[in-house]
């Protein structure tokens, strides 16, 4: 088997809240990403998806756990060594309006990583900037414009072009579609598919949009209350879930025009500061048994290539299924 490009083991992260004390955002998350693969990370708001992406990108440091990236201990790098390797792992943020500097032209922002990392000769930078903008579907003369002069979709394309400037091996996309309308989001999905095909870049796509994830991802990791509760091939996980939370996410999808809306999943708060014993999904689980209230199910293999943190995976059914 090909060695993973990225391998995270036991990642945990807590934040101190004035109201709730110590709140666990991530609790022992492990995952792998192969070269050229797309991993979708899905879950509800507050599940820990964005925290996971930020830890992988070294924008924050984990409290515990390890990350190996391209054969190196990613968490051990610092200073010049970290700056040098950052070219291989880039991030695209949720809000392109907020992630771009409004005072700099598009060209200046795409040019910056080329200059800082000394990736091309200074005389070649203008041509490379134009090439990157054209690669993401923008006219070369967009370089002279400011972010405020662009649409939301164009700004996200600029953000992607900037991330691609260093020819990364892994691109972490944190909710790259949520600030866009439906038609523009579809264009960005097509763009990511095209870029993956042309460049071979691996992707981690963090998203609420299950339809987009089903198109983009080879595999999916479902995150609930700071843990991965299901993982496997995207087509299988999103058609035949083996964890009740995954089924609830599928039931919460918007209904197609002319079709009655599905009944939303039962809601019950999970205390991230003090989750208690048993499975954390018990308050919302339609198939919970006494065992579920007493034991916390581990993430275990339920079929070849599929893992789920559920004692009764064969009984999981989406309400729509």
């Amino acid at each position: 088997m090909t060695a993973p490009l990225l391998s995270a083991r036991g990642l945990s992260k807590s934040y101190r809240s004035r109201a709730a004390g110590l709140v666990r955002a991530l609790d022992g998350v492990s995952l792998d990403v192969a070269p050229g693969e797309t991993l979708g990370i899905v879950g509800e708001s507050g599940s820990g998806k964005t925290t996971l992406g930020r830890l992988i990108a070294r924008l924050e440091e984990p409290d515990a756990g390890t990350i190996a990236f391209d054969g190196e201990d990613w968490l051990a790098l610092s200073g010049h060594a970290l700056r040098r390797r950052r070219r291989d792992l880039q991030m695209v943020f949720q809000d392109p309006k907020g992630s771009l500097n409004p005072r700099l032209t598009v060209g200046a922002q795409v040019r910056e990583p080329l200059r800082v990392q000394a990736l091309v000769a200074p005389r070649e930078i203008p041509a490379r900037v134009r090439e990157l903008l054209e690669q993401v579907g923008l006219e070369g003369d967009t370089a002279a414009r400011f972010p405020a002069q662009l649409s939301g979709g164009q700004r996200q394309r600029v953000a992607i072009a900037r991330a691609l400037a260093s020819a990364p091996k892994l691109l972490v996309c944190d909710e790259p579609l949520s600030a866009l309308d439906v038609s523009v989001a579809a264009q960005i999905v097509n763009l990511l598919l095209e870029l993956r095909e042309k460049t071979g870049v691996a992707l981690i796509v963090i998203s609420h949009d299950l339809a987009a994830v089903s198109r983009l991802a080879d595999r999916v990791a479902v995150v609930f209350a700071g843990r991965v509760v299901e993982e496997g091939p995207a087509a299988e996980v999103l058609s035949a879930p083996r964890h009740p939370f995954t089924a609830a996410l599928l039931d919460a999808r918007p209904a197609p025009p002319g079709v009655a809306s599905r009944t939303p999943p039962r809601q019950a708060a999970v205390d991230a500061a003090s989750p208690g014993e048993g499975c954390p999904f018990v308050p919302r689980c339609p198939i919970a048994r006494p065992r579920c209230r007493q034991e916390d199910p581990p993430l275990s293999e339920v079929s070849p290539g599929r893992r789920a943190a559920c004692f009764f995976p064969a009984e999981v059914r989406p309400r729509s299924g």
Side-chain angles (χ1 to χ4, degrees):
M1 293 180 62
T2 303
L5 175 64
L6 180 132
S7 182
R9 292 292 178 268
L11 293 182
S12 295
K13 181 70 175 179
S14 297
Y15 298 96
R16 189 163 296 279
S17 164
R18 185 173 298 178
L22 200 63
V23 177
R24 286 191 299 187
L26 285 181
D27 186 11
V29 170
S30 298
L31 53 82
D32 293 326
V33 181
E37 180 183 42
T38 298
L39 174 68
I41 299 178
V42 301
E44 61 192 354
S45 297
S47 62
K49 306 186 305 299
T50 290
T51 298
L52 178 56
R54 292 180 67 84
L55 295 185
I56 290 171
R58 288 290 302 273
L59 299 180
E60 297 186 45
E61 300 296 319
D63 299 330
T66 63
I67 302 176
F69 176 60
D70 200 22
E72 287 190 278
D73 184 346
W74 182 233
L75 299 179
L77 297 176
S78 62
H80 176 73
L82 177 60
R83 287 193 296 273
R84 178 179 56 83
R85 287 311 310 270
R86 278 197 184 279
R87 71 181 67 174
D88 293 325
L89 196 160
Q90 292 291 308
M91 191 161 185
V92 176
F93 296 93
Q94 177 176 355
D95 182 8
K97 187 175 182 180
S99 66
L100 297 175
N101 189 327
R103 298 185 179 184
L104 296 179
T105 64
V106 165
Q109 299 188 63
V110 176
R111 183 186 311 126
E112 190 67 5
L114 297 172
R115 184 188 65 80
V116 170
Q117 297 282 1
L119 298 174
V120 297
R123 67 180 180 277
E124 298 173 359
I125 288 180
R128 178 59 177 152
V129 169
R130 185 181 187 89
E131 180 184 356
L132 286 163
L133 292 175
E134 291 175 349
Q135 188 175 21
V136 298
L138 295 172
E139 297 292 336
D141 58 10
T142 307
R145 302 170 70 181
F146 288 88
Q149 298 174 295
L150 305 178
S151 67
Q154 289 173 322
R155 285 193 288 264
Q156 193 63 292
R157 289 173 186 267
V158 171
I160 294 171
R162 182 177 61 182
L164 291 173
S166 61
K169 297 179 180 180
L170 176 62
L171 202 58
V172 179
C173 303
D174 181 17
E175 296 284 4
L177 312 175
S178 64
L180 310 175
D181 64 37
V182 174
S183 61
V184 176
Q187 294 171 16
I188 297 299
V189 168
N190 291 334
L191 172 63
L192 291 173
L193 288 169
E194 181 181 344
L195 290 173
R196 185 181 69 169
E197 181 70 22
K198 288 184 176 180
T199 68
V201 65
L203 301 172
I204 293 178
V205 180
I206 300 166
S207 183
H208 286 86
D209 189 335
L210 297 184
V213 169
S214 69
R215 288 193 61 201
L216 283 167
D218 302 302
R219 290 188 304 114
V220 169
V222 182
V223 180
F224 174 74
R227 306 179 186 183
V228 174
V229 296
E230 183 166 2
E231 183 184 6
E236 296 180 21
V237 171
L238 299 178
S239 63
R242 290 295 176 260
H243 192 282
F245 177 61
T246 310
L249 287 178
L250 293 169
D251 285 329
R253 291 174 297 178
V259 177
S261 297
R262 303 177 180 94
T263 303
R266 292 184 293 169
Q267 298 290 323
V270 175
D271 188 348
S274 180
E277 297 180 352
C279 176
F281 193 66
V282 160
R284 294 161 56 177
C285 184
I287 62 171
R289 307 283 205 284
R291 182 186 182 187
C292 304
R293 295 176 175 84
Q294 299 165 2
E295 301 177 44
D296 190 357
L299 186 63
S300 305
E301 187 173 69
V302 295
S303 62
R306 296 284 303 275
R307 298 193 300 164
C310 181
F311 291 126
F312 310 103
E315 298 183 26
V316 175
R317 295 287 186 276
R319 290 185 180 87
S320 55

